[in-house]
């Protein structure tokens, strides 16, 4: 990934890449970024790329790309020199791979995750995503415009699979989707522990649709849960073990889903926005979702500490008292409402951690929440699950 960052920032006029037996990622990155590439081998990286994406992108013509490379090489003045062309199909594949996160093969057994397009229920958009790059040492991207929602599926290796799955809703204040830190990174972590992690890249709300039911992010989450249930058998998932996890504004989405007709088996809320009450809400999330001046009725409809019933999904809540973005009062009022309704709930309230700590990779008290959450999934909700029939 360091090479990728260098190419993005320096934008050289040309890139020379010597041949190697392995995948020549320098050549591949050059093609991806539109930088003229000269290499000693007409197929550098092509064979490895074929193995990497075979079966998932069979229609993009990678074999044709390799053949084109050979032909181009034969026409050059030097038989060992080749300028790799930017081939549309290859660029599409590589762009998707690059956006997956911190490694090229992102699943435990060296395969690419499965990516499914959503949004077919409510119509899609042909516009391209707009991504803001924020990471320095590791990817930390915010998708600021979502052309079409997707569900990216990280399945665990069969030998460790538990049959449990979690649909992950990254945060971003309803103004973006924090796809790496609160999405792909979390899904890889879960998959390594036997739980399928499914990252939802959801459409951002249109505040002029505030009276519509449901808003676009919620509609996409509803569809993601339905798609996961429909693929449960194929993916080795039990339909009664499909939960949802949300960060910040994504937590607001999961709180919505946990009280809907197609509610998940359990809900995990990490520094969530819960209320649209001006006194405790995140102002940016409220404005992006509901507009500048929503009616009291609309604001109340999306304040999920209200009208909690015993049918809400069992819930695990993580929050830090020093969070100045999504105030911890969001979790406090929600926890009080859940307990009053006798909903099974567990909370981990930390003194320090702020906002946006993701998996807690920077240490401190919040670093313990993922393991504690795994224990909760295995114990607190076990009573709801029954052994599968033989």
């Amino acid at each position: 990934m360091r090479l990728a960052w260098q190419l993005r920032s320096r934008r050289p006029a040309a890139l020379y890449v010597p041949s190697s037996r392995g995948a020549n990622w320098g050549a591949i990155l050059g093609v991806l970024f539109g930088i003229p590439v000269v290499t000693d081998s007409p197929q550098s990286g092509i064979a490895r790329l074929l193995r990497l994406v075979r079966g998932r992108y069979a229609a993009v013509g990678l074999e044709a790309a390799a053949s084109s490379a050979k032909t181009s090489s034969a026409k050059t003045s030097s038989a060992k020199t080749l300028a790799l062309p930017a081939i549309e199909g290859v660029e599409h594949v590589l762009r998707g791979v690059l956006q997956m996160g911190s490694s090229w093969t992102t699943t435990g057994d060296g395969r690419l995750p499965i990516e499914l397009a959503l949004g077919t229920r409510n119509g899609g958009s042909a516009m391209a995503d707009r991504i803001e790059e924020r990471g320095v040492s590791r990817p930390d991207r915010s998708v600021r415009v979502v052309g079409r929602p997707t569900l990216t599926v990280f399945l665990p290796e069969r030998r460790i699979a538990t049959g449990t799955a979690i649909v992950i809703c990254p945060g971003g204040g309803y103004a973006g989707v924090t796809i790496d830190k609160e999405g792909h990174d979390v899904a890889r972590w879960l998959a390594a522990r036997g739980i399928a992690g499914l990252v939802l890249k959801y459409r951002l709300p249109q505040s002029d649709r505030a009276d519509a039911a449901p808003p676009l992010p919620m509609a996409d989450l509803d569809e993601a849960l339905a798609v996961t249930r429909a693929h449960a058998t194929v993916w080795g998932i039990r339909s009664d073990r499909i939960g949802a996890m949300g960060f910040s504004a994504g937590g607001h989405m999961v709180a919505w889903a946990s009280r809907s007709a197609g509610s998940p088996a359990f809900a995990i809320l990490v520094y969530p926005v819960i209320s649209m009450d001006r006194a405790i809400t995140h102002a940016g999330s409220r404005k992006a979702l509901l507009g500048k001046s929503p009616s009291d009725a609309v604001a109340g409809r999306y304040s999920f500490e209200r009208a909690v019933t015993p049918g809400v999904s069992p819930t695990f809540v993580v929050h830090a008292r020093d969070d100045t973005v999504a105030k911890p009062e969001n979790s406090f009022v929600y926890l009080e409402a859940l307990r009053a309704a006798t909903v099974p709930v567990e909370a981990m309230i930390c003194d320090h951690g702020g906002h946006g700590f993701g998996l807690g990779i920077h240490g401190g008290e919040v670093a313990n929440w993922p393991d504690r959450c795994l224990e909760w999934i295995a114990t607190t909700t076990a009573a709801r699950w029954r052994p599968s029939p033989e």
Side-chain angles (χ1 to χ4, degrees):
M1 291 302 295
R2 182 176 299 176
L3 176 59
W5 295 115
Q6 290 176 342
L7 291 178
R8 278 180 171 153
S9 59
R10 297 180 183 177
R11 300 295 304 181
L15 180 67
Y16 170 77
V17 183
S19 61
S20 64
R21 292 187 177 183
N24 199 324
W25 293 116
I28 291 173
L29 285 168
V31 173
L32 172 62
F33 293 132
I35 300 171
V37 176
V38 178
T39 179
D40 295 330
S41 171
Q43 294 194 66
S44 290
I46 294 293
R48 169 64 172 161
L49 183 61
L50 279 169
R51 290 196 300 273
L52 186 64
V53 301
R54 190 181 301 280
R56 179 168 178 239
Y57 288 105
V60 301
L62 294 177
E63 286 85 355
S67 176
S68 174
K70 290 181 181 179
T71 302
S72 298
S73 179
K75 292 180 179 179
T76 57
S77 57
S78 172
K80 292 186 178 182
T81 302
L82 168 70
L84 289 178
I87 302 170
E88 182 178 357
V90 176
E91 183 175 352
H92 168 73
V93 173
L94 292 174
R95 191 176 299 280
V97 173
L98 187 66
Q99 291 176 1
M100 287 298 176
S102 59
S103 64
W104 292 99
T105 53
T106 53
T107 63
D109 55 357
R111 293 177 292 108
L112 284 177
I114 302 164
E115 184 177 284
L116 301 178
L118 303 179
T120 54
R121 292 181 175 183
N122 307 290
S125 169
M127 63 182 175
D129 293 349
R130 182 169 66 82
I131 300 174
E132 177 184 321
E133 309 254 6
R134 305 179 302 181
V136 178
S137 60
R138 59 187 296 121
D140 181 17
R141 293 161 302 136
S142 175
V143 186
R144 310 298 290 185
V145 173
V146 176
R148 178 176 290 279
T150 59
L151 187 66
T152 303
V153 184
F154 294 72
L155 296 177
E157 297 182 58
R158 288 182 178 273
R159 62 182 179 82
I160 63 170
T162 63
T164 302
I166 299 177
V167 175
I168 303 163
C169 300
Y174 284 130
V177 181
T178 307
I179 200 69
D180 293 314
K181 181 175 66 175
E182 297 172 353
H184 298 150
D185 291 351
V186 179
R188 275 192 292 272
W189 189 90
L190 289 170
R193 289 153 182 81
I195 297 176
L198 302 91
V199 182
L200 175 61
K201 184 187 71 178
Y202 51 88
R203 288 171 294 179
L204 301 174
Q206 299 172 1
S207 58
D208 58 346
R209 286 171 44 96
D211 290 328
L216 293 178
M218 282 70 165
D220 291 342
L221 175 54
D222 184 48
E223 184 177 0
L225 288 167
V227 167
T228 303
R229 295 186 184 105
H231 288 80
T233 301
V234 175
W235 292 342
I237 295 168
R238 286 185 45 159
S239 58
D240 60 345
R241 294 193 180 189
I242 299 171
M245 177 187 295
F247 296 78
S248 194
H252 189 253
M253 294 168 57
V254 172
W256 171 86
S258 68
R259 59 199 286 162
S260 66
S263 60
F266 55 90
I268 301 164
L269 311 180
V270 188
Y271 40 84
V273 176
I274 293 292
S275 182
M276 293 290 112
D277 185 332
R278 287 185 182 277
I280 63 174
T281 192
H282 174 239
S285 296
R286 174 185 160 113
K287 180 179 178 181
L289 181 67
L290 305 181
K292 293 182 179 180
S293 303
S295 67
D296 290 343
V298 170
R301 186 189 310 163
Y302 293 102
S303 295
F304 299 132
E305 77 279 13
R306 304 185 185 183
V308 175
T309 69
V312 170
S313 305
T315 303
F316 184 91
V317 178
V318 184
H319 222 126
R321 295 182 186 276
D322 61 352
D323 190 335
T324 59
V325 178
K327 297 178 181 178
E329 285 77 9
N330 281 270
S331 288
F332 296 161
V333 296
Y334 194 49
L335 289 168
E336 183 179 353
L338 292 172
R339 288 165 178 155
T342 67
V343 174
V345 61
E346 181 166 332
M348 181 174 175
I349 307 300
C350 305
D351 289 331
H352 304 287
H355 189 79
F357 48 77
L359 288 172
I361 61 172
H362 298 301
E365 186 182 0
V366 295
N368 298 320
W369 84 260
D371 288 333
R372 182 167 165 183
C373 183
L374 287 184
E375 294 174 1
W376 176 80
I377 293 171
T379 58
T380 305
T381 61
R384 291 170 57 93
W385 301 336
R386 299 290 182 266
S388 299
E390 297 294 337

